[in-house]
């Protein structure tokens, strides 16, 4: 087995954990099954991660990173604010449709962390990360389009995180793409009312 830098090995194990957890569920995924999924020994896993908490935090951060990069790249200024916001949501939506198991895993991770004594902070960190991500996206749009917010940026970030979270779960449960698009039209109109162009 080739020796990889520690950071690369952690990335490999985190991606393996995401695949295993999405397939088998968080409670049934063990360090042994993650090591097997990654094709490494159990000792390599324990060398890279001190605890399951550390691994779960890495999984949460990595899953979020999977789609944040796509959204940031899609948020290029368009002719209107509505078109720009729609492009960002479309990039996210395309990721949800392509990787529903991964998005389902985010809900399972939060529930698991809330029910596991000592892991509760990971659920809080997960949702803080969502809000921080939206704050970064709002800042990016603000700089490129000179937007004027009608509500404080932290409030808008948490609103967008909560709305996206609910919209995603609604789709995962009901599988209704048409309803998702209809709701998205309403959301975009509402966002345009909260964020004004100069």
């Amino acid at each position: 087995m080739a020796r990889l830098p520690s950071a690369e090995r952690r990335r490999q194990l985190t991606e393996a954990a995401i695949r295993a957890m999405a397939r088998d569920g968080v409670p049934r995924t063990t360090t042994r099954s993650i090591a097997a999924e990654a094709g490494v020994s159990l000792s390599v896993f324990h060398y890279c991660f001190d605890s399951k908490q550390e691994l779960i935090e890495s999984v949460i951060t990595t899953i979020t990173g999977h789609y944040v990069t796509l959204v940031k790249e899609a948020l290029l200024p368009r002719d209107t604010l509505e078109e720009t916001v729609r492009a960002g949501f479309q990039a996210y939506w395309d990721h949800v449709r392509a990787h529903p198991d991964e998005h389902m895993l985010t809900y399972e991770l939060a529930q698991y962390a809330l029910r596991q004594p000592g892991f509760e902070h990971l659920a809080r960190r997960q949702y803080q990360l969502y809000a921080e991500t939206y704050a970064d996206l709002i800042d990016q749009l603000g700089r490129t389009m000179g937007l004027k917010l009608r509500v404080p940026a932290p409030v808008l970030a948490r609103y967008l995180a909560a709305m996206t979270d609910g919209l995603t779960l609604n789709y995962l449960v009901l599988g209704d793409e048409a309803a998702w698009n209809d709701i998205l039209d309403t959301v975009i109109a509402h966002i345009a009312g909260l964020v004004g162009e100069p």
Side-chain angles (χ1 to χ4, degrees):
M1 174 175 50
R3 290 183 60 84
L4 293 176
S6 179
E8 178 61 21
R9 188 65 82 188
R10 282 174 61 93
R11 187 200 64 75
Q12 178 190 23
L13 283 161
T14 299
E15 294 290 353
I18 291 169
R19 291 191 304 273
M21 289 176 177
R23 182 185 61 238
D24 303 329
V26 176
R28 290 191 300 278
T29 301
T30 63
T31 54
R32 189 175 302 280
S33 67
I34 293 167
E37 180 76 24
V40 301
S41 69
L42 194 55
S43 62
V44 170
F45 177 94
H46 290 296
Y47 173 77
C48 293
F49 291 100
D50 292 332
S51 65
K52 192 168 184 181
Q53 286 187 17
E54 188 181 359
L55 169 71
I56 288 177
E57 187 163 8
S58 181
V59 165
I60 289 167
T61 304
T62 301
I63 286 178
T64 304
H66 284 174
Y67 57 81
V68 167
T69 302
L70 298 172
V71 172
K72 283 186 175 179
E73 290 171 355
L75 277 178
L76 299 173
R78 307 296 203 279
D79 290 340
T80 66
L81 175 62
E82 288 86 349
E83 290 173 359
T84 305
V85 172
R86 180 174 290 282
F89 274 110
Q90 188 64 52
Y92 172 78
W93 171 231
D94 289 344
H95 192 275
V96 171
R97 287 192 304 172
H99 306 280
D101 289 348
E102 195 171 294
H103 287 271
M104 196 177 313
L105 175 58
T106 64
Y107 295 98
E108 189 175 351
L109 283 166
Q111 292 294 319
Y112 176 82
L114 287 172
R115 292 179 181 277
Q116 198 74 7
F119 281 56
E120 302 89 343
H121 69 283
L122 295 177
R124 287 192 297 274
R125 178 67 192 124
Q126 181 178 348
Y127 278 77
Q128 287 166 354
L129 182 59
Y130 295 164
E132 288 166 11
T133 297
Y134 268 108
D136 288 345
L137 294 173
I138 291 165
D139 182 61
Q140 176 184 329
L141 271 186
R143 283 184 281 107
T144 58
M145 298 186 75
L147 303 177
K148 294 181 180 177
L149 302 183
R150 296 191 173 103
V151 294
V155 173
L156 182 58
R158 290 182 72 92
Y159 164 73
L160 291 171
M163 181 277 309
T164 304
D165 191 52
L167 195 53
T168 303
L169 184 58
N170 190 274
Y171 169 72
L172 292 172
V173 172
L174 301 177
D176 188 341
E177 292 190 22
W180 200 96
N181 287 312
D182 291 342
I183 295 168
L184 185 57
D185 288 339
T186 303
V187 168
I188 289 171
H190 191 216
I191 292 170
L194 298 174
V195 181
E197 297 180 89

